[in-house]
């Protein structure tokens, strides 16, 4: 949407769940020319994060799990850059593009939906060897790493290095960790049939959880069923266990056990995007999230911050249903999407001088995929397990994927996989796309060094009265023979006549 000087400017910081849905719904609710909407995000797409485990397992094409901003936001100005500063006192944000200098952007209303990033701890080796599962790039890298390790392991004899390549460690037993762990275990089990050199017993999967149980979002009985189901598939779950080190891929546990591995997936929690939270002057609560009211305006119940809104994982929104942890909505897609829809309506209401409504949403339940044809679903006291829960998982997320264009791509991929099997093409080399080109590219040869000129012997300095004649002081370059003869004849008389004056000149100069 082109900006003009009269319409209010709305700046949306972040293009994930909450940001994308806020912009999408603002386009629906705003009248033409009622406001200028700008969305800033370093990525040109929204990632549907519940699909990341299936992307890592090869069950969903990576591009189908993201939504292009510019394709589906018709009247929103999309800027692919980072917001590195928010000066709300003056209603100015600093935008830092990947190319070019940072610049300031003036706004009237700001919506902070910058999401969350992986939360890690200062454990030796984790920053250097582990990988998260918050982005589509990470999911693709995990898939390709596992496939590449199978390729390498199949070509070497049994031994420590082979065991290391076929060992996977997932840290974190929440929903994200369990789904990633189960999907990767499912992929590895399917790969064994394609590699006759590798048996099921050669693969080793370990889940590390610091608490005494997994999946706190479901009942204890349901979580225990998941543990038994994973154990049947050869998975090792370490409860009440912490990672104390991961130097050189050797995962050290608080129990003293050491697991050598080439793939460590970190899913042990998230934190609000620190670049946005720390780079602004909006109020922040003790857990590092932006303090947000129930109507999704920034501030407290008694004192809202005029012109500032927040939603999604970056915000601390009160859970009026009473089901939140610590009284706040938990950071998940279910809340982010619904908060964005309410925020868009409330923002339009404020622009029109109307009243806002509080965000109230009772958690509908939790559903997780545990690999092909296996899953778990919990809603209140109702628990579904196995194939029925897997169908519920795919049905819910297939419908929740924004835009029909994206829904059809995902559904079509699932249908193809049903008959053709999951895609196990390994494209790890795409992460270094110029390697082959550089290896065989012709390069100019280094210039040959010029031969060194022979050094001239320095003549001893002569007294002034014995100085060399002028003709020898500055030798003239040799001329071709024909030219030399003609020149000599022409110059001979003149040289003879000027011989005496030349001698005087040299003496005078000396």
């Amino acid at each position: 949407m082109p900006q003009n000087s009269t319409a209010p400017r709305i700046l949306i910081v972040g293009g994930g769940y909450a940001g994308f849905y806020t912009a999408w719904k603002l386009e629906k609710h705003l009248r033409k020319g009622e406001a200028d909407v700008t969305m800033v995000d370093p990525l040109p797409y929204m990632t549907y994060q519940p699909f990341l485990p299936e992307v890592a397992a090869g069950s969903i094409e990576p591009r189908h799990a993201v939504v292009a901003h510019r394709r589906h936001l018709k009247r929103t100005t999309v800027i692919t850059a980072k917001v590195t500063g928010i000066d709300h006192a003056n209603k100015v944000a600093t935008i830092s593009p990947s190319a070019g200098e940072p610049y300031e952007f003036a706004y009237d209303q700001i919506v902070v939906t910058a999401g969350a990033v992986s939360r890690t701890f200062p454990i030796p080796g984790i920053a250097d060897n582990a990988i998260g599962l918050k982005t589509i790039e990470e999911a693709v890298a995990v898939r390709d790493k596992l496939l590449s390790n199978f390729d390498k392991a199949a070509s070497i004899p049994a031994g420590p290095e082979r065991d290391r390549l076929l060992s996977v460690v997932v840290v974190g037993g929440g929903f994200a960790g369990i789904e990633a762990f189960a999907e990767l275990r499912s992929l590895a089990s399917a790969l064994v049939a394609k590699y006759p050199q590798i048996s099921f017993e050669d693969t080793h999967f370990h889940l590390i959880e610091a608490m005494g149980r997994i999946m706190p979002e479901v009942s204890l009985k349901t979580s225990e069923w998941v543990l038994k189901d994973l154990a049947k598939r050869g998975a090792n779950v370490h409860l009440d266990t912490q990672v104390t080190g991961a130097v050189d891929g050797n995962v050290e546990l608080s129990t003293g056990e050491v697991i050598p591995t080439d793939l460590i997936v970190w899913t042990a929690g998230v934190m609000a995007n620190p670049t946005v939270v720390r780079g602004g002057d909006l109020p922040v609560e003790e857990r590092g999230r932006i303090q947000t009211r129930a109507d999704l305006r920034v501030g407290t119940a008694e004192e809202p911050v005029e012109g500032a809104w927040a939603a999604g994982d970056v915000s601390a929104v009160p859970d009026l249903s009473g089901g939140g942890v610590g009284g706040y909505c938990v950071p998940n897609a279910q809340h982010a999407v619904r908060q964005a829809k309410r925020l868009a309506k409330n923002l339009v209401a404020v622009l029109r001088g109307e009243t806002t409504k509080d965000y109230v949403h009772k958690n509908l339940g939790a559903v997780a995929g545990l690999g092909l044809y296996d899953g778990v679903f919990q809603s209140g006291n109702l628990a579904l397990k196995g194939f029925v829960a897997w169908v519920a998982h795919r049905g819910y997320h297939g419908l929740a994927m924004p835009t029909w264009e994206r829904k059809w791509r995902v559904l079509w991929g699932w249908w193809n996989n049903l008959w053709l099997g999951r895609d196990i093409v390994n494209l790890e080399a795409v992460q270094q796309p110029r390697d082959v080109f550089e290896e065989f590219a012709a390069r100019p040869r280094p210039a040959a060094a010029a031969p060194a000129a022979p050094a001239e012997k320095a003549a001893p300095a002569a007294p002034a009265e014995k100085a060399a004649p002028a003709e020898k002081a500055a030798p003239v370059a040799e001329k071709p023979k024909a030219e030399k003869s003609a020149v000599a004849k022409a110059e001979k008389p003149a040289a003879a006549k000027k011989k005496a004056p030349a001698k005087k000149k040299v003496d005078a100069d000396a």
Side-chain angles (χ1 to χ4, degrees), residues 135-186:
T135 68
I136 196 70
E137 294 82 5
E138 289 174 326
V140 171
V142 168
R143 180 200 66 187
D144 288 344
K145 186 69 171 178
L146 183 61
L147 293 171
S148 180
N149 284 355
F150 263 73
D151 290 335
K152 294 174 184 176
S155 62
I156 61 176
E161 178 60 17
R162 196 165 185 261
D163 288 339
R164 187 180 69 86
L165 289 169
L166 296 176
S167 295
V168 176
V169 174
V170 176
V171 184
F175 248 64
I178 290 297
E179 285 195 287
F181 183 68
E183 289 287 355
L184 291 174
R185 174 68 269 184
S186 175

Side-chain angles (χ1 to χ4, degrees), residues 451-464:
E456 294 183 3
K457 293 182 180 180

Side-chain angles (χ1 to χ4, degrees), residues 1-74:
M1 180 187 294
Q3 295 181 346
N4 57 62
S5 58
T6 58
R9 288 185 174 185
I10 300 173
L11 174 63
I12 301 174
V13 181
Y17 277 117
F20 175 82
Y21 269 93
T22 298
W24 203 25
K25 296 306 176 181
L26 282 174
E27 290 189 353
K28 176 181 177 181
H29 300 308
L30 287 170
R31 304 185 188 105
K32 186 176 181 180
E34 191 172 8
D36 287 338
V37 181
T38 299
M39 187 177 73
V40 182
D41 192 276
L43 297 173
Y45 49 78
M46 182 212 91
T47 302
Y48 191 74
Q49 292 184 8
F51 281 158
L52 293 182
E54 288 199 63
V55 171
S59 296
I60 293 180
E61 164 63 29
R63 285 187 176 85
H64 296 171
V66 299
V67 182
H69 290 154
R70 286 180 171 83
R71 175 163 186 167
H72 296 285
L73 297 177
K74 307 295 186 183

Side-chain angles (χ1 to χ4, degrees), residues 199-252:
S199 67
F200 180 86
E201 290 73 22
D202 292 331
T203 61
H204 314 287
F205 278 72
H206 299 268
L207 177 79
I208 317 300
E209 170 54 46
M211 296 176 60
R213 60 163 295 182
I214 61 170
M215 304 175 74
E217 300 90 344
V218 302
S219 69
L220 181 60
K221 184 178 179 181
T222 301
S223 71
E224 290 174 346
W225 178 88
V226 173
L227 285 175
K228 293 177 183 177
D229 184 67
L230 292 174
K232 291 177 183 176
R233 292 189 273 159
N236 302 286
V237 179
H238 305 258
L239 299 178
D240 292 315
T241 305
Q242 296 177 335
V243 175
T244 59
V247 177
D248 297 328
N250 295 309
V251 178
E252 301 174 18

